[in-house]
Amino acid sequence: MAGMIDLRSDTVTRPTAAMRRIMAEADVGDDVYGEDPNARRLEERAAELLGKPAALFVPTGTMANQLALLCHCERGNDVLVGQDNHCVLYESGAGAAWAQVNFSVVGRDGFFDAEQMVASVKPAESHFPQTRLVAIENTHNRSGGQVFPQSDVIAIGEAAHGHGLSLHLDGARIWNASVATGLAPSELAEPADTVSACFSKGLGAPVGSVLAGSVEIIRKAHRYRKMLGGGMRQVGVLCAAALHALDHHRARLADDHTNAKRLAEGLAQLREFSVDMSSVQTNIVAFELRAGLARDFVLRAAELGVRLNALGPQRVRAVTHLDVSAADIETALARLAQASGAL
Ligand SMILES: *Cc1c(COP(=O)(O)O)cnc(C)c1O
């Protein structure tokens, strides 16, 4: 329908006219031969922003996370990971299929502290899988885009390294975490050995993520990327879009956060919904229906011009992004109020 407001995800953004122009004019080469100038530029820029010596452009955040598992772990190793993390829940079981790791969930709602992490490290005795990696997600999607407290990230990094473990940060939305905390992406990623970050969510590029880490790890990841079919050719059209997004669409994520807060406040005024305002820290609003089913409500909302995602039987997610304005939020609230009448 015309005027549809799409709050399903920040992945639905479309490249702006300026971005399309830059893509059209990008100089390119065959990146499997290492000859794409924009791929080199983007990887250098991303490494610098994330504070790591090297970085690798990959088609998806899923591949970035899978490369991290493959680079850090041997088959049968144990990975300590927060509840409902993307690498466990949303990657089609790839961690089991390719890296063949064992996941042990730590803490609640995606968050844990160093003490909980240490308590989950398996003994060296041969019954146990050998713990090798700790993985955290910042911001954490399923918890409604909450920021992982940096004091915990630092303590987890120290404890992990003290136990001979590596730390991977799934920073698909690290740009949002950076804007919300005022900490540079490099500061957020400092405790981690590898960090993945996404260009195709709030930043608005059409495709692409990056994995950053040491030169040695990224060299290994480069081989695994080829193995998984992620060696791409004239990839500069995509990398130019990502570079443009890093320059022009990072600071404006603050607008998405303001819009999310306004949406949450509006929803909280309606008695049909329950919203934990303390969870609304970035561009995601996860809320509960007091009655009815999320999947029915999502259908009704779509009929009235707002697309949302159901996260659970009564849990719904709305995500703000580049293609949603403050005025759209007011319209969305009016439509959702109407949709809630059926609950
Ligand atoms: C979106 C996302 C990814 C990567 O998703 P792709 O669709 O594979 O690019 C990874 N981690 C988190 C936390 C995400 O939200």
Side-chain angles (χ1 to χ4, degrees):
M1 77 181 266
M4 176 69 85
I5 298 168
D6 196 343
L7 303 176
R8 285 173 301 167
S9 173
D10 43 7
T11 56
V12 301
T13 55
R14 271 156 298 199
T16 61
M19 186 181 276
R20 284 172 189 269
R21 213 154 41 236
I22 277 159
M23 293 173 74
E25 290 163 9
D27 22 321
V28 294
D30 188 330
D31 188 48
V32 173
Y33 288 104
E35 291 172 2
D36 191 287
N38 277 299
R40 286 296 77 67
R41 270 178 218 132
L42 176 63
E43 288 173 349
E44 274 169 31
R45 181 88 202 287
E48 186 195 319
L49 279 170
L50 296 167
K52 302 296 174 202
L56 187 70
F57 182 73
V58 290
T60 61
T62 297
M63 190 182 285
N65 283 339
Q66 291 305 314
L67 292 178
L69 295 176
L70 286 161
C71 288
H72 290 297
C73 300
E74 303 272 323
R75 225 163 26 139
N77 279 172
D78 183 42
V79 180
L80 306 182
V81 62
Q83 215 174 27
D84 290 341
N85 272 27
H86 198 281
C87 66
V88 177
L89 191 61
Y90 290 132
E91 300 186 3
S92 304
W98 310 136
Q100 301 181 18
V101 293
N102 182 78
F103 288 110
S104 297
V105 172
V106 186
R108 266 192 66 78
D109 297 332
F111 301 97
F112 54 91
D113 61 23
E115 205 179 315
Q116 288 171 305
M117 185 228 101
V118 169
S120 301
V121 177
K122 310 296 178 290
E125 204 269 328
S126 68
H127 280 80
F128 298 96
Q130 287 307 280
T131 307
R132 177 68 204 94
L133 181 68
V134 182
I136 64 177
E137 189 174 299
N138 194 13
T139 65
H140 188 260
N141 171 29
R142 287 278 302 194
S143 75
Q146 293 185 62
V147 176
F148 212 116
Q150 192 60 14
S151 54
D152 284 331
V153 180
I154 291 168
I156 287 167
E158 280 170 7
H161 295 141
H163 281 79
L165 314 177
S166 296
L167 177 64
H168 173 65
L169 167 59
D170 177 348
R173 294 192 181 84
I174 195 170
W175 320 113
N176 296 86
S178 170
V179 164
T181 59
L183 298 173
S186 58
E187 283 175 86
L188 294 171
E190 209 278 326
D193 298 279
T194 49
V195 51
S196 53
C198 191
F199 304 119
S200 68
K201 289 193 167 148
L203 290 189
V207 175
S209 279
V210 70
L211 179 72
S214 69
V215 170
E216 190 190 356
I217 291 230
I218 295 305
R219 194 173 294 137
K220 205 167 161 186
H222 184 267
R223 178 175 290 274
Y224 279 125
R225 183 184 71 174
K226 192 81 183 84
M227 206 182 267
L228 295 178
M232 297 180 285
R233 303 294 177 173
Q234 286 73 25
V235 76
V237 283
L238 301 177
C239 295
L243 279 164
H244 177 82
L246 285 175
D247 285 336
H248 299 281
H249 296 167
R250 257 190 312 141
R252 65 148 306 283
L253 291 172
D255 301 342
D256 295 345
H257 298 182
T258 303
N259 287 342
K261 200 146 274 163
R262 168 68 194 124
L263 180 68
E265 283 163 1
L267 291 171
Q269 307 261 302
L270 299 166
R271 62 186 159 71
E272 289 83 357
F273 308 119
S274 154
V275 190
D276 173 5
M277 288 302 295
S278 71
S279 76
V280 187
Q281 299 171 8
T282 57
N283 68 327
I284 303 179
V285 182
F287 59 99
E288 301 281 335
L289 308 183
R290 292 193 200 275
L293 287 175
R295 63 161 190 271
D296 297 336
F297 176 69
V298 164
L299 287 175
R300 178 81 186 119
E303 283 166 10
L304 294 172
V306 182
R307 294 175 110 172
L308 304 163
N309 262 331
L311 283 190
Q314 294 199 297
R315 194 167 165 82
V316 178
R317 185 183 80 161
V319 187
T320 58
H321 52 76
L322 185 60
D323 292 350
V324 178
S325 67
D328 289 336
I329 294 297
E330 300 307 323
T331 308
L333 276 170
R335 291 176 184 174
L336 293 176
Q338 197 186 342
S340 72
L343 290 173

